[in-house]
Amino acid sequence: MPKSAASKSKQSSQPPPPSPHNKKKASGTTFSLLDKSKKNLDILQGLVLHKEVISSQFENELISFIQSQCTKGRSGQLKKPTYLRSAGARSQGNQREALQYGGFFDFNKARPGKRGLVPDFPPIVHRLVNHLIDEGYLDKEVRPDSCIINQYGKGDCIPPHVDHESYYRPISTLSLLGEEPMLVGTKFQTVKSCTWKPTVGTSVTLPRRSLLLLGGNSGNVSKHCISSCRGERISITLRKQPGPDWRPSLDELAKSGGGKKRKRDAAATSTANDYNNDDDGGGGDGAKKKKKALSGSAKRRKKMMKLKGITTTLPESGQGDASVRQQQQQQQHQQQMTQSQSSSNGEKTSTKKRSSDTQAKRNARRLERKQKQATANTK
């Protein structure tokens, strides 16, 4: 690890500060790492590892339940988004499977999604949460109500990320079936596809039946990831989600990293807030709805029609691009028919004129021949 970037990682067996909300607070291994690029901030503050938090028998019950649910998902008995599996060109070499309960997490937008899309905790997950709280590993004041279960195969991974800020800290991850390291830090180097190493951070080995807590700076500042797994592994991530009235901010929707779709979402959200009324106006006689903005392709078609001399009358809001396209095609067809008729009429006129001139010349030649014959007969 570069000396200019961070100081040496330290481990201790000191328990985290006591909490008045639990009967007892379990001790665990804590970590520390000062990042000099962040004014000697301890980027691993709040990172705690507890070992052997459940029995082998309970681990086997959890594994059996998770594998049966994934089997149902692969056969189509369990629908999206409760069951998800990495797919497509970007997921080559990574076939990680995921189960979601309690709260839906939108992987595409990396934030909490719409409520009610996934089922509540199954009984075995309720048992797990109650056990972790009763044993003092989790604080009952931040009782988890959202669960993501990941089943990794050999070579599967999850890239460096920070969990969305709306989730309460700490975030806890229970490891089952296999032992893999989790990388935690602020800077990572990509070694190859699905493989990273921390340049400012550390590697924490997660034994079977261990619980890792990501709180404080380790959950808010540092990123974490799982590089290409050496074998099979299951993780159960427990989080307390934001309240039911939580909504992403417009700044988050429109930030540059979100692309055009997030900008359109922000514009649509703003319009919905301004005109969230019934058809009768809802805001008085002066209430007036804005016309729907044209898409990029519709704007280009409008410009081309203008260059070709075709006037276009835009439809009222709600008719959409299909109506614009149909109207423009009709106008273009009418113009082409007019031009074709004009061209045809011009060609007919020109042909008649040429025929008339030719006939006049023929008549003149015939008259000249007759005059020559008459003169010859006279002689």
Side-chain angles (χ1 to χ4, degrees):
M1 185 180 303
K3 292 184 178 180
S4 59
S7 67
K8 186 178 180 180
S9 176
K10 300 182 292 182
Q11 297 187 16
S12 68
S13 297
Q14 297 297 324
S19 171
H21 303 294
N22 289 355
K23 296 179 181 179
K24 58 180 180 178
K25 191 72 175 181
S27 62
T29 303
T30 60
F31 302 82
S32 178
L33 177 64
L34 302 181
D35 187 348
K36 292 184 178 180
S37 67
K38 296 185 179 295
K39 299 180 179 180
N40 284 331
L41 178 70
D42 186 357
I43 60 174
L44 300 184
Q45 177 266 327
L47 185 66
V48 183
L49 177 65
H50 298 283
K51 297 180 180 180
E52 297 294 335
V53 299
I54 61 173
S55 65
S56 299
Q57 181 181 353
F58 194 13
E59 179 191 24
N60 292 333
E61 290 182 49
L62 288 166
I63 293 173
S64 177
F65 167 76
I66 292 166
Q67 291 180 341
S68 66
Q69 293 298 102
C70 287
T71 300
K72 290 181 179 179
R74 288 191 291 269
S75 64
Q77 299 179 51
L78 209 58
K79 304 298 183 182
K80 295 181 180 180
T82 304
Y83 171 81
L84 298 171
R85 185 169 190 173
S86 301
R90 294 189 302 172
S91 301
Q92 290 182 359
N94 186 19
Q95 299 297 314
R96 178 169 49 92
E97 297 173 279
L99 298 167
Q100 298 195 70
Y101 300 103
F104 168 57
F105 179 75
D106 192 330
F107 284 94
N108 292 325
K109 298 177 181 178
R111 63 170 183 257
K114 184 178 179 181
R115 293 202 173 221
L117 295 180
V118 298
D120 194 9
F121 281 4
I124 195 169
V125 176
H126 275 300
R127 279 177 54 201
L128 173 63
V129 172
N130 290 335
H131 169 77
L132 295 177
I133 291 176
D134 292 343
E135 294 299 319
Y137 298 114
L138 299 181
D139 194 325
K140 65 180 180 181
E141 292 301 314
V142 287
R143 183 185 182 91
D145 58 2
S146 174
C147 171
I148 296 180
I149 301 174
N150 286 304
Q151 180 166 258
Y152 298 81
K154 185 177 180 180
D156 290 346
C157 64
I158 189 167
H161 66 282
V162 177
D163 285 50
H164 195 272
E165 59 184 8
S166 64
Y167 288 106
Y168 289 77
R169 267 45 173 185
I171 292 163
S172 57
T173 297
L174 177 68
S175 297
L176 308 173
L177 190 60
E179 179 176 295
E180 297 290 339
M182 176 177 283
L183 309 180
V184 185
T186 52
K187 294 181 182 178
F188 294 83
Q189 178 184 347
T190 301
V191 178
K192 59 181 180 179
S193 177
C194 224
T195 304
W196 302 270
K197 69 176 183 180
T199 55
V200 182
T202 190
S203 174
V204 181
T205 300
L206 305 179
R208 294 178 65 163
R209 301 181 293 280
S210 67
L211 184 74
L212 185 70
L213 303 182
L214 290 159
N217 293 336
S218 68
N220 295 315
V221 179
S222 296
K223 297 180 180 180
H224 57 277
C225 70
I226 298 290
S227 274
S228 179
C229 290
R230 296 166 295 184
E232 293 183 341
R233 174 182 182 262
I234 292 175
S235 68
I236 302 177
T237 299
L238 300 169
R239 300 183 286 200
K240 180 177 176 59
Q241 59 187 329
D245 58 343
W246 177 85
R247 296 292 183 275
S249 66
L250 292 180
D251 290 339
E252 181 183 352
L253 291 168
K255 63 184 179 181
S256 58
K260 295 182 179 179
K261 188 177 187 304
R262 289 192 180 180
K263 292 180 181 179
R264 288 199 300 271
D265 289 345
T269 303
S270 179
T271 303
N273 291 337
D274 293 339
Y275 299 96
N276 190 17
N277 302 314
D278 296 330
D279 293 337
D280 60 0
D285 296 334
K288 185 178 180 181
K289 291 185 178 181
K290 293 182 180 179
K291 291 184 177 180
K292 185 178 179 181
L294 293 175
S295 65
S297 58
K299 289 179 180 178
R300 289 192 293 273
R301 286 194 296 272
K302 180 183 175 183
K303 185 176 180 180
M304 291 300 297
M305 295 302 103
K306 187 175 181 180
L307 292 174
K308 292 181 180 180
I310 301 176
T311 58
T312 303
T313 303
L314 294 179
E316 292 297 323
S317 175
Q319 291 182 353
D321 291 347
S323 179
V324 174
R325 197 157 47 245
Q326 184 179 6
Q327 188 175 3
Q328 290 174 348
Q329 289 174 351
Q330 290 176 352
Q331 292 180 355
Q332 186 177 14
H333 178 69
Q334 290 175 358
Q335 187 186 39
Q336 290 175 350
M337 291 295 294
T338 303
Q339 291 175 350
S340 177
Q341 290 175 359
S342 299
S343 176
S344 177
N345 291 337
E347 290 178 358
K348 289 180 180 179
T349 303
S350 178
T351 302
K352 288 181 179 179
K353 187 176 180 180
R354 286 198 300 270
S355 299
S356 179
D357 292 342
T358 303
Q359 188 64 37
K361 291 179 181 179
R362 288 176 182 173
N363 292 339
R365 287 196 294 271
R366 288 173 184 169
L367 180 59
E368 184 179 359
R369 284 198 298 272
K370 288 181 180 179
Q371 290 176 351
K372 288 181 179 180
Q373 290 177 359
T375 302
N377 293 334
T378 303
K379 293 180 179 180

mmCIF file of all heavy atoms in Angstrom, residues 275-318:
data_model
loop_
_atom_site.group_PDB
_atom_site.id
_atom_site.type_symbol
_atom_site.label_atom_id
_atom_site.label_comp_id
_atom_site.label_asym_id
_atom_site.label_seq_id
_atom_site.Cartn_x
_atom_site.Cartn_y
_atom_site.Cartn_z
ATOM 1 N N TYR A 275 -48.115 19.949 -11.967
ATOM 2 C CA TYR A 275 -49.420 19.740 -12.584
ATOM 3 C C TYR A 275 -50.047 18.442 -12.113
ATOM 4 O O TYR A 275 -50.500 17.622 -12.884
ATOM 5 C CB TYR A 275 -49.285 19.733 -14.117
ATOM 6 C CG TYR A 275 -48.765 21.036 -14.647
ATOM 7 C CD1 TYR A 275 -47.404 21.179 -14.916
ATOM 8 C CD2 TYR A 275 -49.599 22.116 -14.847
ATOM 9 C CE1 TYR A 275 -46.906 22.371 -15.379
ATOM 10 C CE2 TYR A 275 -49.100 23.318 -15.311
ATOM 11 C CZ TYR A 275 -47.762 23.441 -15.577
ATOM 12 O OH TYR A 275 -47.281 24.631 -16.043
ATOM 13 N N ASN A 276 -50.003 18.224 -10.808
ATOM 14 C CA ASN A 276 -50.585 17.018 -10.234
ATOM 15 C C ASN A 276 -52.058 17.260 -9.921
ATOM 16 O O ASN A 276 -52.500 17.232 -8.790
ATOM 17 C CB ASN A 276 -49.819 16.635 -8.961
ATOM 18 C CG ASN A 276 -50.211 15.272 -8.471
ATOM 19 O OD1 ASN A 276 -50.799 14.487 -9.205
ATOM 20 N ND2 ASN A 276 -49.897 14.987 -7.213
ATOM 21 N N ASN A 277 -52.849 17.568 -10.995
ATOM 22 C CA ASN A 277 -54.249 17.922 -10.852
ATOM 23 C C ASN A 277 -55.104 17.045 -11.736
ATOM 24 O O ASN A 277 -54.609 16.321 -12.593
ATOM 25 C CB ASN A 277 -54.474 19.393 -11.234
ATOM 26 C CG ASN A 277 -53.643 20.343 -10.390
ATOM 27 O OD1 ASN A 277 -53.595 20.208 -9.179
ATOM 28 N ND2 ASN A 277 -52.977 21.292 -11.042
ATOM 29 N N ASP A 278 -56.440 17.137 -11.567
ATOM 30 C CA ASP A 278 -57.370 16.412 -12.408
ATOM 31 C C ASP A 278 -57.521 17.110 -13.735
ATOM 32 O O ASP A 278 -56.994 18.205 -13.964
ATOM 33 C CB ASP A 278 -58.734 16.301 -11.717
ATOM 34 C CG ASP A 278 -58.647 15.481 -10.442
ATOM 35 O OD1 ASP A 278 -57.784 14.571 -10.397
ATOM 36 O OD2 ASP A 278 -59.408 15.766 -9.512
ATOM 37 N N ASP A 279 -58.315 16.526 -14.657
ATOM 38 C CA ASP A 279 -58.506 17.097 -15.982
ATOM 39 C C ASP A 279 -59.196 18.448 -15.933
ATOM 40 O O ASP A 279 -59.098 19.240 -16.866
ATOM 41 C CB ASP A 279 -59.327 16.139 -16.858
ATOM 42 C CG ASP A 279 -58.560 14.878 -17.154
ATOM 43 O OD1 ASP A 279 -57.319 14.912 -17.078
ATOM 44 O OD2 ASP A 279 -59.201 13.870 -17.460
ATOM 45 N N ASP A 280 -59.946 18.720 -14.855
ATOM 46 C CA ASP A 280 -60.651 19.985 -14.789
ATOM 47 C C ASP A 280 -59.745 21.128 -14.337
ATOM 48 O O ASP A 280 -60.205 22.250 -14.156
ATOM 49 C CB ASP A 280 -61.845 19.872 -13.829
ATOM 50 C CG ASP A 280 -61.407 19.513 -12.420
ATOM 51 O OD1 ASP A 280 -60.191 19.347 -12.188
ATOM 52 O OD2 ASP A 280 -62.284 19.396 -11.557
ATOM 53 N N GLY A 281 -58.464 20.854 -14.129
ATOM 54 C CA GLY A 281 -57.529 21.920 -13.765
ATOM 55 C C GLY A 281 -57.065 21.781 -12.340
ATOM 56 O O GLY A 281 -55.886 21.827 -12.063
ATOM 57 N N GLY A 282 -57.977 21.651 -11.415
ATOM 58 C CA GLY A 282 -57.607 21.431 -10.027
ATOM 59 C C GLY A 282 -57.000 22.634 -9.355
ATOM 60 O O GLY A 282 -57.032 22.775 -8.154
ATOM 61 N N GLY A 283 -56.436 23.567 -10.128
ATOM 62 C CA GLY A 283 -55.792 24.728 -9.545
ATOM 63 C C GLY A 283 -56.507 26.000 -9.898
ATOM 64 O O GLY A 283 -55.916 27.071 -9.831
ATOM 65 N N GLY A 284 -57.761 25.947 -10.288
ATOM 66 C CA GLY A 284 -58.502 27.150 -10.628
ATOM 67 C C GLY A 284 -58.612 27.330 -12.117
ATOM 68 O O GLY A 284 -58.124 26.547 -12.914
ATOM 69 N N ASP A 285 -59.273 28.424 -12.525
ATOM 70 C CA ASP A 285 -59.499 28.681 -13.948
ATOM 71 C C ASP A 285 -58.209 28.955 -14.688
ATOM 72 O O ASP A 285 -58.116 28.769 -15.894
ATOM 73 C CB ASP A 285 -60.458 29.869 -14.125
ATOM 74 C CG ASP A 285 -61.838 29.551 -13.559
ATOM 75 O OD1 ASP A 285 -62.188 28.341 -13.510
ATOM 76 O OD2 ASP A 285 -62.534 30.497 -13.172
ATOM 77 N N GLY A 286 -57.201 29.449 -13.951
ATOM 78 C CA GLY A 286 -55.956 29.805 -14.620
ATOM 79 C C GLY A 286 -55.016 28.636 -14.815
ATOM 80 O O GLY A 286 -53.952 28.775 -15.410
ATOM 81 N N ALA A 287 -55.366 27.458 -14.272
ATOM 82 C CA ALA A 287 -54.480 26.296 -14.402
ATOM 83 C C ALA A 287 -54.402 25.847 -15.838
ATOM 84 O O ALA A 287 -55.393 25.677 -16.513
ATOM 85 C CB ALA A 287 -54.998 25.154 -13.531
ATOM 86 N N LYS A 288 -53.187 25.650 -16.328
ATOM 87 C CA LYS A 288 -52.975 25.261 -17.714
ATOM 88 C C LYS A 288 -51.827 24.284 -17.790
ATOM 89 O O LYS A 288 -50.775 24.515 -17.218
ATOM 90 C CB LYS A 288 -52.670 26.494 -18.568
ATOM 91 C CG LYS A 288 -52.560 26.183 -20.058
ATOM 92 C CD LYS A 288 -52.310 27.461 -20.841
ATOM 93 C CE LYS A 288 -52.205 27.174 -22.328
ATOM 94 N NZ LYS A 288 -51.945 28.390 -23.106
ATOM 95 N N LYS A 289 -52.035 23.171 -18.486
ATOM 96 C CA LYS A 289 -51.001 22.147 -18.601
ATOM 97 C C LYS A 289 -50.033 22.484 -19.713
ATOM 98 O O LYS A 289 -50.418 23.001 -20.755
ATOM 99 C CB LYS A 289 -51.634 20.784 -18.855
ATOM 100 C CG LYS A 289 -52.410 20.252 -17.668
ATOM 101 C CD LYS A 289 -52.898 18.840 -17.941
ATOM 102 C CE LYS A 289 -53.623 18.297 -16.717
ATOM 103 N NZ LYS A 289 -54.091 16.925 -16.935
ATOM 104 N N LYS A 290 -48.767 22.147 -19.489
ATOM 105 C CA LYS A 290 -47.752 22.345 -20.511
ATOM 106 C C LYS A 290 -47.862 21.273 -21.574
ATOM 107 O O LYS A 290 -48.290 20.166 -21.322
ATOM 108 C CB LYS A 290 -46.354 22.284 -19.876
ATOM 109 C CG LYS A 290 -46.068 23.427 -18.928
ATOM 110 C CD LYS A 290 -44.646 23.300 -18.401
ATOM 111 C CE LYS A 290 -44.320 24.436 -17.444
ATOM 112 N NZ LYS A 290 -42.957 24.315 -16.915
ATOM 113 N N LYS A 291 -47.454 21.651 -22.804
ATOM 114 C CA LYS A 291 -47.423 20.661 -23.878
ATOM 115 C C LYS A 291 -46.253 19.715 -23.657
ATOM 116 O O LYS A 291 -45.217 20.089 -23.134
ATOM 117 C CB LYS A 291 -47.283 21.351 -25.240
ATOM 118 C CG LYS A 291 -48.520 22.125 -25.651
ATOM 119 C CD LYS A 291 -48.352 22.707 -27.050
ATOM 120 C CE LYS A 291 -49.614 23.426 -27.498
ATOM 121 N NZ LYS A 291 -49.470 23.995 -28.851
ATOM 122 N N LYS A 292 -46.447 18.487 -24.070
ATOM 123 C CA LYS A 292 -45.406 17.478 -23.910
ATOM 124 C C LYS A 292 -44.225 17.803 -24.816
ATOM 125 O O LYS A 292 -44.393 18.101 -25.991
ATOM 126 C CB LYS A 292 -45.968 16.101 -24.256
ATOM 127 C CG LYS A 292 -44.989 14.971 -24.005
ATOM 128 C CD LYS A 292 -45.631 13.646 -24.312
ATOM 129 C CE LYS A 292 -44.659 12.496 -24.083
ATOM 130 N NZ LYS A 292 -45.282 11.197 -24.396
ATOM 131 N N ALA A 293 -43.020 17.764 -24.260
ATOM 132 C CA ALA A 293 -41.815 18.071 -25.036
ATOM 133 C C ALA A 293 -41.573 16.996 -26.090
ATOM 134 O O ALA A 293 -41.833 15.817 -25.867
ATOM 135 C CB ALA A 293 -40.618 18.185 -24.104
ATOM 136 N N LEU A 294 -41.070 17.435 -27.264
ATOM 137 C CA LEU A 294 -40.766 16.491 -28.336
ATOM 138 C C LEU A 294 -39.483 15.729 -28.016
ATOM 139 O O LEU A 294 -38.571 16.269 -27.384
ATOM 140 C CB LEU A 294 -40.604 17.219 -29.670
ATOM 141 C CG LEU A 294 -41.856 17.871 -30.257
ATOM 142 C CD1 LEU A 294 -41.478 18.638 -31.515
ATOM 143 C CD2 LEU A 294 -42.915 16.852 -30.586
ATOM 144 N N SER A 295 -39.405 14.513 -28.475
ATOM 145 C CA SER A 295 -38.170 13.746 -28.332
ATOM 146 C C SER A 295 -37.143 14.242 -29.347
ATOM 147 O O SER A 295 -37.460 15.020 -30.250
ATOM 148 C CB SER A 295 -38.449 12.258 -28.559
ATOM 149 O OG SER A 295 -38.858 12.042 -29.893
ATOM 150 N N GLY A 296 -35.913 13.765 -29.204
ATOM 151 C CA GLY A 296 -34.857 14.195 -30.117
ATOM 152 C C GLY A 296 -35.146 13.825 -31.558
ATOM 153 O O GLY A 296 -34.916 14.618 -32.475
ATOM 154 N N SER A 297 -35.656 12.611 -31.784
ATOM 155 C CA SER A 297 -35.948 12.180 -33.151
ATOM 156 C C SER A 297 -37.071 13.006 -33.763
ATOM 157 O O SER A 297 -37.038 13.328 -34.952
ATOM 158 C CB SER A 297 -36.319 10.687 -33.161
ATOM 159 O OG SER A 297 -37.435 10.452 -32.321
ATOM 160 N N ALA A 298 -38.083 13.371 -32.959
ATOM 161 C CA ALA A 298 -39.183 14.189 -33.474
ATOM 162 C C ALA A 298 -38.692 15.578 -33.852
ATOM 163 O O ALA A 298 -39.143 16.170 -34.848
ATOM 164 C CB ALA A 298 -40.292 14.278 -32.428
ATOM 165 N N LYS A 299 -37.763 16.127 -33.061
ATOM 166 C CA LYS A 299 -37.209 17.440 -33.388
ATOM 167 C C LYS A 299 -36.438 17.410 -34.700
ATOM 168 O O LYS A 299 -36.514 18.336 -35.503
ATOM 169 C CB LYS A 299 -36.291 17.905 -32.248
ATOM 170 C CG LYS A 299 -37.040 18.280 -30.982
ATOM 171 C CD LYS A 299 -36.070 18.701 -29.893
ATOM 172 C CE LYS A 299 -36.804 19.078 -28.617
ATOM 173 N NZ LYS A 299 -35.865 19.450 -27.533
ATOM 174 N N ARG A 300 -35.687 16.308 -34.917
ATOM 175 C CA ARG A 300 -34.935 16.205 -36.169
ATOM 176 C C ARG A 300 -35.872 16.086 -37.365
ATOM 177 O O ARG A 300 -35.629 16.675 -38.419
ATOM 178 C CB ARG A 300 -33.989 14.995 -36.100
ATOM 179 C CG ARG A 300 -32.818 15.190 -35.156
ATOM 180 C CD ARG A 300 -31.777 14.090 -35.343
ATOM 181 N NE ARG A 300 -32.278 12.793 -34.941
ATOM 182 C CZ ARG A 300 -32.210 12.328 -33.707
ATOM 183 N NH1 ARG A 300 -31.666 13.059 -32.748
ATOM 184 N NH2 ARG A 300 -32.673 11.111 -33.426
ATOM 185 N N ARG A 301 -36.964 15.321 -37.200
ATOM 186 C CA ARG A 301 -37.931 15.202 -38.296
ATOM 187 C C ARG A 301 -38.585 16.550 -38.594
ATOM 188 O O ARG A 301 -38.795 16.919 -39.749
ATOM 189 C CB ARG A 301 -38.997 14.161 -37.935
ATOM 190 C CG ARG A 301 -38.509 12.730 -38.013
ATOM 191 C CD ARG A 301 -39.681 11.759 -37.995
ATOM 192 N NE ARG A 301 -40.410 11.831 -36.737
ATOM 193 C CZ ARG A 301 -40.123 11.118 -35.655
ATOM 194 N NH1 ARG A 301 -39.096 10.270 -35.698
ATOM 195 N NH2 ARG A 301 -40.842 11.216 -34.553
ATOM 196 N N LYS A 302 -38.891 17.285 -37.563
ATOM 197 C CA LYS A 302 -39.498 18.607 -37.749
ATOM 198 C C LYS A 302 -38.567 19.544 -38.509
ATOM 199 O O LYS A 302 -38.983 20.284 -39.402
ATOM 200 C CB LYS A 302 -39.835 19.191 -36.377
ATOM 201 C CG LYS A 302 -40.470 20.577 -36.444
ATOM 202 C CD LYS A 302 -40.701 21.107 -35.040
ATOM 203 C CE LYS A 302 -41.216 22.540 -35.108
ATOM 204 N NZ LYS A 302 -41.377 23.119 -33.751
ATOM 205 N N LYS A 303 -37.261 19.476 -38.170
ATOM 206 C CA LYS A 303 -36.293 20.323 -38.848
ATOM 207 C C LYS A 303 -36.173 19.957 -40.320
ATOM 208 O O LYS A 303 -36.098 20.834 -41.197
ATOM 209 C CB LYS A 303 -34.932 20.189 -38.153
ATOM 210 C CG LYS A 303 -33.870 21.107 -38.701
ATOM 211 C CD LYS A 303 -32.584 20.969 -37.897
ATOM 212 C CE LYS A 303 -31.496 21.888 -38.446
ATOM 213 N NZ LYS A 303 -30.245 21.759 -37.676
ATOM 214 N N MET A 304 -36.159 18.651 -40.626
ATOM 215 C CA MET A 304 -36.069 18.200 -42.015
ATOM 216 C C MET A 304 -37.293 18.636 -42.810
ATOM 217 O O MET A 304 -37.189 19.053 -43.967
ATOM 218 C CB MET A 304 -35.917 16.673 -42.054
ATOM 219 C CG MET A 304 -34.587 16.161 -41.529
ATOM 220 S SD MET A 304 -33.176 16.800 -42.450
ATOM 221 C CE MET A 304 -33.511 16.091 -44.072
ATOM 222 N N MET A 305 -38.473 18.543 -42.207
ATOM 223 C CA MET A 305 -39.693 18.974 -42.893
ATOM 224 C C MET A 305 -39.652 20.467 -43.204
ATOM 225 O O MET A 305 -40.096 20.922 -44.254
ATOM 226 C CB MET A 305 -40.912 18.671 -42.016
ATOM 227 C CG MET A 305 -41.187 17.192 -41.773
ATOM 228 S SD MET A 305 -41.428 16.242 -43.285
ATOM 229 C CE MET A 305 -39.842 15.406 -43.398
ATOM 230 N N LYS A 306 -39.087 21.222 -42.257
ATOM 231 C CA LYS A 306 -38.989 22.665 -42.453
ATOM 232 C C LYS A 306 -38.047 22.996 -43.599
ATOM 233 O O LYS A 306 -38.304 23.884 -44.419
ATOM 234 C CB LYS A 306 -38.508 23.318 -41.161
ATOM 235 C CG LYS A 306 -38.536 24.840 -41.201
ATOM 236 C CD LYS A 306 -38.159 25.410 -39.834
ATOM 237 C CE LYS A 306 -38.210 26.931 -39.869
ATOM 238 N NZ LYS A 306 -37.840 27.517 -38.552
ATOM 239 N N LEU A 307 -36.917 22.274 -43.682
ATOM 240 C CA LEU A 307 -35.961 22.494 -44.765
ATOM 241 C C LEU A 307 -36.560 22.144 -46.118
ATOM 242 O O LEU A 307 -36.233 22.759 -47.138
ATOM 243 C CB LEU A 307 -34.693 21.669 -44.525
ATOM 244 C CG LEU A 307 -33.832 22.097 -43.324
ATOM 245 C CD1 LEU A 307 -32.690 21.117 -43.116
ATOM 246 C CD2 LEU A 307 -33.296 23.505 -43.528
ATOM 247 N N LYS A 308 -37.465 21.155 -46.138
ATOM 248 C CA LYS A 308 -38.103 20.747 -47.386
ATOM 249 C C LYS A 308 -39.323 21.586 -47.728
ATOM 250 O O LYS A 308 -39.978 21.355 -48.733
ATOM 251 C CB LYS A 308 -38.513 19.271 -47.298
ATOM 252 C CG LYS A 308 -37.325 18.315 -47.244
ATOM 253 C CD LYS A 308 -37.804 16.878 -47.174
ATOM 254 C CE LYS A 308 -36.619 15.904 -47.129
ATOM 255 N NZ LYS A 308 -37.072 14.511 -47.066
ATOM 256 N N GLY A 309 -39.640 22.542 -46.859
ATOM 257 C CA GLY A 309 -40.753 23.426 -47.150
ATOM 258 C C GLY A 309 -42.086 22.894 -46.723
ATOM 259 O O GLY A 309 -43.130 23.378 -47.166
ATOM 260 N N ILE A 310 -42.110 21.872 -45.844
ATOM 261 C CA ILE A 310 -43.376 21.310 -45.381
ATOM 262 C C ILE A 310 -43.685 21.912 -44.025
ATOM 263 O O ILE A 310 -42.920 21.789 -43.080
ATOM 264 C CB ILE A 310 -43.284 19.776 -45.257
ATOM 265 C CG1 ILE A 310 -42.934 19.167 -46.610
ATOM 266 C CG2 ILE A 310 -44.599 19.207 -44.728
ATOM 267 C CD1 ILE A 310 -42.741 17.677 -46.542
ATOM 268 N N THR A 311 -44.796 22.618 -43.928
ATOM 269 C CA THR A 311 -45.206 23.196 -42.661
ATOM 270 C C THR A 311 -45.844 22.120 -41.807
ATOM 271 O O THR A 311 -46.584 21.276 -42.292
ATOM 272 C CB THR A 311 -46.216 24.338 -42.882
ATOM 273 O OG1 THR A 311 -47.334 23.816 -43.585
ATOM 274 C CG2 THR A 311 -45.589 25.467 -43.670
ATOM 275 N N THR A 312 -45.553 22.169 -40.506
ATOM 276 C CA THR A 312 -46.037 21.141 -39.589
ATOM 277 C C THR A 312 -46.784 21.791 -38.441
ATOM 278 O O THR A 312 -46.274 22.730 -37.823
ATOM 279 C CB THR A 312 -44.860 20.331 -39.008
ATOM 280 O OG1 THR A 312 -44.128 19.778 -40.093
ATOM 281 C CG2 THR A 312 -45.373 19.230 -38.100
ATOM 282 N N THR A 313 -47.960 21.324 -38.160
ATOM 283 C CA THR A 313 -48.729 21.772 -37.014
ATOM 284 C C THR A 313 -48.605 20.722 -35.927
ATOM 285 O O THR A 313 -49.009 19.588 -36.116
ATOM 286 C CB THR A 313 -50.210 21.956 -37.373
ATOM 287 O OG1 THR A 313 -50.290 22.884 -38.453
ATOM 288 C CG2 THR A 313 -50.995 22.489 -36.176
ATOM 289 N N LEU A 314 -48.008 21.115 -34.791
ATOM 290 C CA LEU A 314 -47.777 20.147 -33.724
ATOM 291 C C LEU A 314 -49.079 19.791 -33.049
ATOM 292 O O LEU A 314 -49.956 20.639 -32.881
ATOM 293 C CB LEU A 314 -46.817 20.741 -32.682
ATOM 294 C CG LEU A 314 -45.402 21.002 -33.187
ATOM 295 C CD1 LEU A 314 -44.587 21.615 -32.064
ATOM 296 C CD2 LEU A 314 -44.755 19.732 -33.690
ATOM 297 N N PRO A 315 -49.249 18.525 -32.634
ATOM 298 C CA PRO A 315 -50.471 18.112 -31.951
ATOM 299 C C PRO A 315 -50.492 18.614 -30.525
ATOM 300 O O PRO A 315 -49.483 19.033 -29.978
ATOM 301 C CB PRO A 315 -50.384 16.587 -31.990
ATOM 302 C CG PRO A 315 -48.923 16.307 -31.966
ATOM 303 C CD PRO A 315 -48.289 17.418 -32.774
ATOM 304 N N GLU A 316 -51.652 18.540 -29.906
ATOM 305 C CA GLU A 316 -51.778 18.907 -28.509
ATOM 306 C C GLU A 316 -51.066 17.871 -27.634
ATOM 307 O O GLU A 316 -50.820 16.750 -28.045
ATOM 308 C CB GLU A 316 -53.263 18.989 -28.110
ATOM 309 C CG GLU A 316 -54.001 20.139 -28.776
ATOM 310 C CD GLU A 316 -53.451 21.501 -28.390
ATOM 311 O OE1 GLU A 316 -53.059 21.654 -27.221
ATOM 312 O OE2 GLU A 316 -53.394 22.382 -29.255
ATOM 313 N N SER A 317 -50.776 18.271 -26.390
ATOM 314 C CA SER A 317 -50.094 17.376 -25.465
ATOM 315 C C SER A 317 -50.879 16.092 -25.270
ATOM 316 O O SER A 317 -52.085 16.114 -25.120
ATOM 317 C CB SER A 317 -49.921 18.067 -24.110
ATOM 318 O OG SER A 317 -49.374 17.194 -23.185
ATOM 319 N N GLY A 318 -50.141 14.989 -25.292
ATOM 320 C CA GLY A 318 -50.768 13.699 -25.058
ATOM 321 C C GLY A 318 -50.900 12.867 -26.303
ATOM 322 O O GLY A 318 -51.114 11.686 -26.250
#
